[in-house]
Amino acid sequence: MTDENDHLKPPTKREMKSAARLYAVQALFQMEAADMTVDKVRRQFYDHFFGLKTEEEGEFIDGDSDLFHEITEIAVNDQAKVDQMTNRALVAKWPIARIDSTLRALFRAAGAELLSGRTPPKVVIVEFVDVAKAFYPDGREPKFVNAVLDHMAREAHPEAF
């Protein structure tokens, strides 16, 4: 049973990290779609998403800004490395350039977090499969994301498996 005052409680660290991952995927998507710099997109997210409350949309959870910054930074600075890791996890006929732009942003964000090495790989997989479920609630994409991220995580951190 949920407490009717749940909306008054501050988000947990885990919820803030999950929100940061979702925002990172959205930011990377927006960078590609609108040809924006990482700094400009980050500013927009800090100003318009982190903890924002609106009548139409409700409340956006406050994200972990350090994790958001780290994921977007690594995804941009090491994009070639992340994309190559993703390509090796995809079927040869489906290079990263051919996949849906939302999935591309998701793989870049997850790959960046895997490269950072601060989060256990299995946690990264679970968290980004949840992000995939948010974008594709009725599709097969979450299973696809799980398979690709499992391959990427085993490459980046074989000792964890």
Side-chain angles (χ1 to χ4, degrees):
M1 187 163 136
T2 59
D3 184 345
E4 62 185 56
N5 292 323
D6 275 353
H7 67 283
L8 300 175
K9 294 178 185 174
T12 65
K13 284 185 179 184
R14 184 180 184 285
E15 290 169 334
M16 290 177 70
K17 287 179 182 286
S18 294
R21 291 177 179 103
L22 178 69
Y23 295 158
V25 171
Q26 292 171 319
L28 293 170
F29 173 87
Q30 188 173 329
M31 283 177 56
E32 183 178 325
D35 196 26
M36 296 172 71
T37 66
V38 68
D39 291 329
K40 187 172 184 177
V41 169
R42 274 193 207 125
R43 260 191 314 277
Q44 282 187 352
F45 273 77
Y46 292 138
D47 292 345
H48 301 290
F49 286 96
F50 281 62
L52 178 71
K53 295 176 182 132
T54 66
E55 279 188 39
E56 307 84 40
E57 301 286 335
E59 185 175 347
F60 288 86
I61 193 167
D62 204 11
D64 180 321
S65 58
D66 291 338
L67 181 60
F68 174 78
H69 185 91
E70 180 180 54
I71 290 172
T72 54
E73 190 74 14
I74 294 171
V76 170
N77 290 338
D78 293 329
Q79 182 177 325
K81 187 175 184 178
V82 171
D83 285 357
Q84 289 166 3
M85 191 167 57
T86 306
N87 277 334
R88 287 189 292 273
L90 294 167
V91 178
K93 294 178 184 175
W94 289 100
I96 193 166
R98 285 189 62 192
I99 64 171
D100 174 83
S101 55
T102 302
L103 287 174
R104 191 167 41 250
L106 186 147
F107 290 137
R108 286 177 176 156
E113 191 166 2
L114 286 168
L115 288 180
S116 81
R118 288 194 328 146
T119 307
K122 292 177 182 179
V123 172
V124 173
I125 294 168
V126 168
E127 286 288 319
F128 281 97
V129 167
D130 284 347
V131 170
K133 288 175 183 174
F135 286 110
Y136 306 99
D138 300 321
R140 293 191 313 237
E141 289 85 354
K143 288 181 181 178
F144 174 64
V145 166
N146 186 66
V148 172
L149 292 184
D150 183 69
H151 189 282
M152 291 170 68
R154 288 173 188 276
E155 177 183 328
H157 300 284
E159 72 287 353
F161 293 90

